[in-house]
């Protein structure tokens, strides 16, 4: 144990930390400007100077490591004088434009000057003039306000790995500029905005539209964009989202956001949002009341069921809707309609790949902790650029490289370009040959251990020589061998697989080969997921053969478990998968389709074909927040609520169940509530008063969710 005394308080520490960290751990606040908990220590601003007994000069607390017996004072007259002097220096050039600066109220410099002074500046010279840069559509730079703490530069280079900005010029002319000149040429993560302590780098989206103290309504929720599930804070004024910021310490993203999460909130208040139910009459949508639209849908579905039977009706669920929405939807299809005809667009990549890999390695095989990537000694990427599909996960791969790990890629991924990837780029359509070559070489090098006989039986006869790889894939032997050596020598490897592989021709075989590689190097697999609740959708049983918690529909005990909670029989026969639904629509055997929060015309391959198939369905119902390509084809459209307007849960790619919280009011209805109302009109009791009621039922039905509570 190390024992130190700060401001008379004795602090015991288990490991050496900086004086600043030791003070913070004891609740003692030392002022800082260039220090930030997400960044490398810098020691540039000197605001954190402290007195240390037996050391003649003041020391920077953010860089000084503690030593046993150290005695530190953080607030003395001498320190206050020095801090006042430093602030006076900063104010030589920093403008006193707080009344018009958007940062006022949350500006760290403003707070420090208020505490330490100076009340007046002694410098008569003119402040430097740097015109504000408005060249960029999203980020505004006001370099007159910059205090050269370089937090933005260190964030951009050391954490985000974009290296898009740096300090340009010397002395009083120093300022931060993108390498590309006035306009940013970067990933627009906006993490530079998060760490700027003053108003030098700010978002243009909310400029001059609020003061920080007016943001009394803050809601912590989950990002709606991808399967990473970043925590974010939605700041609201007058029921309008004004800003989205991250939270330091949040488990998944720890204070970082990507461009979609940070800047992609304006759609919530878009004037093109659907606000009222619409019924198509003579080919034209007419506004209707909720009662009319709900009773029409209930009546039509009952008639179709009566006339053609339940299998003539299908449902498509949504990876953008909450667990509760999806659970209620599959329950509606199974118990009210009476069919397992429920599926989603996740089938086209994520769902199929996950099922395949879990069949080999067991349930949960792809549910790996995202920060685990940065601790890997090797990350092998195939099938998509993780820095664009799942940007915060991509940062963990960059961190792996910075920590000394190796990055191997099959294909070129721009976001990993500067992280020394060892690349193999086979000619088109020969990826499987290259993977076979890798499996063959790894088998020869490592041998099979009999630990997974089923998988070994499938790969034991694979034999693709280096000659084949050279001739067919057009890859140099030297490059292949280097790649292979790194792969085979790794001790803590991860494999990241994207949709370009899981959705490609021969995806199953490629997944088998990737599973074999994973097996032979003893790694873990991450499946990229580009929709927020793709995992939750599957967990909820939105599949034609699986009930909630992956209980097979064919299994009597599984159905019994659901029937206990649902108080009605669950259908036994496997339903139609999404492409079978499209085929049945085309051949006329499908009479009705209910689509919740999905746009198959846009999101399924061959959109022309999908569109003509959907036009062939007698009765189409769509719930969405915008008039999508699919909604335009519908007979009835219900306006749903967006992610920011409802409560519920999402499950991320790690299988972490996270709370979504309502931040603003919307004009639609929660997806689960619309479906519940239709169910009631069809004579079934779907009596949920809120998302928590539904979550509690999920926990009773799904073995995966057993014992969980909504507030966890
Ligand atoms: Fe320590 Fe800036 S915070 S030198």
């Amino acid at each position: 144990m190390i024992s130190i005394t700060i401001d008379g308080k004795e602090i015991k520490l288990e490991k050496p930390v900086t004086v600043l960290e030791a003070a913070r751990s004891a609740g003692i606040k030392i002022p800082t400007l260039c220090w930030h908990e997400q960044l490398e220590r810098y020691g540039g601003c000197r605001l954190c100077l402290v007195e240390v007994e037996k050391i003649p000069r003041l020391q920077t607390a953010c860089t000084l490591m503690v030593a046993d017996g150290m005695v530190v004072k953080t607030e003395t007259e001498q320190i206050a004088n020095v801090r006042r002097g430093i602030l006076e220096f900063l104010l030589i050039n920093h403008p006193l434009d707080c009344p018009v600066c958007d940062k006022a109220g949350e500006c760290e410099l403003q707070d420090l000057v208020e505490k330490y002074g100076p009340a007046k500046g002694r410098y008569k010279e003119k402040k430097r003039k740097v015109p504000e840069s408005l060249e960029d559509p999203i980020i505004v730079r006001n370099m007159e306000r910059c205090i050269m703490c370089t937090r933005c530069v260190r964030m951009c280079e050391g954490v985000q790995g974009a290296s898009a900005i740096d300090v340009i010029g010397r002395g009083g002319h120093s300022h931060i500029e993108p390498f590309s000149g006035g306009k940013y040429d970067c990933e627009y993560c906006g993490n530079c905005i998060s760490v700027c302590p003053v108003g030098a780098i700010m978002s243009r989206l909310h400029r001059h539209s609020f003061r920080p103290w007016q943001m009394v309504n803050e809601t912590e929720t989950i990002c709606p964009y991808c399967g990473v599930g970043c925590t974010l804070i939605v700041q609201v004024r007058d029921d309008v989202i004004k800003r989205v910021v991250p939270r330091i310490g949040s488990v998944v993203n720890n204070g970082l956001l990507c461009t979609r999460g940070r800047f992609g909130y304006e759609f919530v208040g878009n004037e093109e949002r659907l606000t009222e139910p619409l019924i198509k009459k003579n080919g034209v949508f007419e506004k209707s009341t909720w009662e009319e639209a709900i009773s029409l849908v209930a009546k039509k579905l009952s008639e179709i069921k009566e006339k053609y039977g339940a299998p003539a009706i299908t449902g498509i669920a949504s990876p953008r809707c909450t667990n509760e929405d999806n659970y209620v939807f599959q329950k509606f299809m199974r118990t009210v309609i009476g069919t397992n005809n429920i599926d989603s667009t996740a089938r086209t990549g994520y769902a199929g790949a996950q099922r395949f890999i879990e069949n080999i390695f067991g349930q949960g095989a792809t549910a790996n902790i995202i920060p685990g990537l940065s601790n890997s000694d090797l990350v092998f990427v195939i099938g998509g650029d993780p820095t664009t599909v799942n940007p915060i996960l991509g940062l963990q791969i960059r961190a792996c490289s910075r920590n000394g790990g190796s990055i191997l890629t099959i294909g070129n991924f721009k976001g990993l370009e500067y992280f020394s990837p060892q690349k193999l780029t086979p000619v088109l359509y020969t990826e499987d040959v290259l993977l076979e070559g890798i499996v063959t070489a790894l088998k020869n090098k490592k041998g099979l251990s009999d630990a997974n006989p089923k998988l070994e039986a499938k790969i034991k006869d694979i034999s693709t020589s280096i000659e084949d790889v050279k001739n067919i894939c057009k890859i140099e032997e030297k490059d292949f061998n280097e790649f292979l050596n790194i792969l085979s020598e790794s001790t803590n490897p991860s494999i990241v697989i994207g949709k370009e592989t899981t959705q490609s021709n021969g995806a199953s075989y490629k997944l088998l080969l990737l599973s074999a590689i994973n097996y032979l190097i003893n790694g873990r697999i991450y499946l990229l997921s580009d929709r927020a609740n793709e995992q939750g959708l599957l967990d909820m049983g939105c599949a034609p053969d699986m009930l909630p918690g992956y209980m097979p529909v064919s299994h009597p005990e599984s159905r019994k478990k659901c029937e206990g909670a649902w108080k009605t029989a669950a259908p036994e026969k496997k339903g139609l998968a999404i492409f079978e639904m499209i085929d049945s629509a085309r051949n006329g055997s499908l009479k009705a389709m209910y689509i919740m929060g999905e746009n198959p015309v846009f999101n399924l391959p061959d959109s022309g074909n999908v569109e003509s198939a959907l036009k062939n369905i007698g009765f189409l119902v769509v719930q969405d927040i915008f008039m999508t390509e699919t909604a335009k084809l519908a007979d009835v459209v219900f306006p749903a609520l967006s992610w920011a307007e409802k409560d519920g849960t999402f499950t991320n790619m790690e299988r972490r169940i996270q709370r979504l919280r309502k931040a603003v009011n919307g004009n639609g209805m929660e997806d689960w509530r619309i479906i519940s109302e239709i169910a009631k009109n069809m004579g079934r009791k779907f009596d949920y008063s809120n998302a928590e009621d539904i979550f509690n039922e999920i926990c009773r039905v799904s073995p995966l969710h057993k014992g969980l509570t909504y507030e966890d």
Side-chain angles (χ1 to χ4, degrees), residues 32-212:
T32 55
L33 272 176
C34 68
W35 177 88
H36 191 278
E37 55 197 296
Q38 289 172 289
L39 305 175
E40 289 283 309
R41 281 173 269 153
Y42 179 59
C45 74
R46 328 301 284 174
L47 246 298
C48 65
L49 287 170
V50 290
E51 283 179 21
V52 183
E53 221 173 75
K54 299 193 185 125
I55 301 183
R57 295 207 188 104
L58 297 181
Q59 300 293 311
T60 48
C62 70
T63 55
L64 182 69
M65 299 303 287
V66 292
D68 196 35
M70 203 177 237
V71 178
V72 179
K73 285 185 186 151
T74 70
E75 294 286 351
T76 64
E77 206 181 319
Q78 183 196 12
I79 293 171
N81 278 338
V82 172
R83 287 182 185 151
R84 189 177 311 115
I86 292 166
L87 292 166
E88 189 176 0
F89 267 114
L90 288 176
L91 292 177
I92 291 174
N93 277 321
H94 187 90
L96 299 177
D97 62 350
C98 308
V100 294
C101 175
D102 282 278
K103 194 75 175 182
E106 55 182 10
C107 171
E108 294 174 38
L109 181 63
Q110 190 182 39
D111 293 346
L112 288 169
V113 173
E114 196 186 332
K115 180 168 181 192
Y116 294 101
K120 238 175 134 184
R122 285 172 289 167
Y123 289 86
K124 300 284 180 238
E125 290 81 359
K126 285 208 166 96
K127 290 175 189 274
R128 72 174 167 180
K129 284 276 155 222
V130 187
E132 192 171 51
S133 168
L134 292 169
E135 287 168 78
D136 201 274
I138 300 180
I139 298 175
V140 53
R141 278 177 301 125
N142 184 321
M143 284 300 123
E144 286 176 2
R145 296 178 187 150
C146 178
I147 56 165
M148 282 298 131
C149 65
T150 72
R151 281 193 200 176
C152 54
V153 176
R154 284 177 286 142
M155 168 58 79
C156 188
E157 188 183 335
V159 180
Q160 182 67 21
S163 301
I165 52 176
D166 210 340
V167 179
I168 310 289
R170 291 180 174 208
H173 298 292
S174 306
H175 60 284
I176 309 294
E177 202 169 282
F179 287 115
S180 47
K183 196 168 178 291
Y184 280 73
D185 177 17
C186 66
E187 296 162 352
Y188 282 109
C189 63
N191 289 322
C192 53
I193 297 172
S194 289
V195 292
C196 180
V198 294
I201 303 184
M202 301 193 82
S203 163
R204 283 187 78 177
L205 298 193
H206 55 73
R207 218 162 112 88
H208 305 326
S209 67
F210 66 88
R211 289 305 210 173

Side-chain angles (χ1 to χ4, degrees), residues 15 27 40 67 105 112 126 158 161 195 219 233 243 354 366 384 403 430 521 528 539 562 633 635 664 678 712:
K15 56 175 190 183
E40 289 283 309
L112 288 169
K126 285 208 166 96
V195 292
T219 306
I233 312 280
R243 183 168 66 170
Q354 184 175 75
T366 62
N403 295 341
T430 63
I521 62 173
L528 297 182
D539 295 349
C562 294
L633 308 176
D635 296 284
V664 289
I678 294 168
D712 280 347

Side-chain angles (χ1 to χ4, degrees), residues 23 75 109 138 209 247 299 303 471 515 563 571 618 670 697:
E75 294 286 351
L109 181 63
I138 300 180
S209 67
R247 178 170 69 76
K299 186 168 154 276
E303 284 170 6
N471 295 334
S515 300
E563 286 161 5
E670 294 99 331
E697 185 174 311

Side-chain angles (χ1 to χ4, degrees), residues 1-22:
M1 295 290 273
I2 303 165
S3 172
I4 71 163
T5 307
I6 302 181
D7 292 344
K9 192 170 181 176
E10 201 185 337
I11 303 165
K12 299 254 185 240
L13 300 154
E14 280 176 11
K15 56 175 190 183
V17 293
T18 63
V19 170
L20 181 75
E21 286 159 349

Side-chain angles (χ1 to χ4, degrees), residues 456-493:
E456 291 193 8
K458 286 184 182 153
I459 61 171
K460 74 176 188 334
D461 296 330
I462 292 172
S463 173
T464 297
S465 68
I466 179 67
E467 289 306 313
D468 294 335
V469 171
K470 268 163 60 184
N471 295 334
I472 300 170
C473 309
K474 307 290 177 228
I475 281 174
E476 296 290 326
E477 184 170 350
K478 179 177 124 312
D479 295 342
F480 180 82
N481 286 338
E482 260 177 46
F483 192 97
L484 198 82
N485 283 342
I486 299 172
L487 192 61
S488 62
E489 278 161 25
S490 62
T491 54
N492 182 18

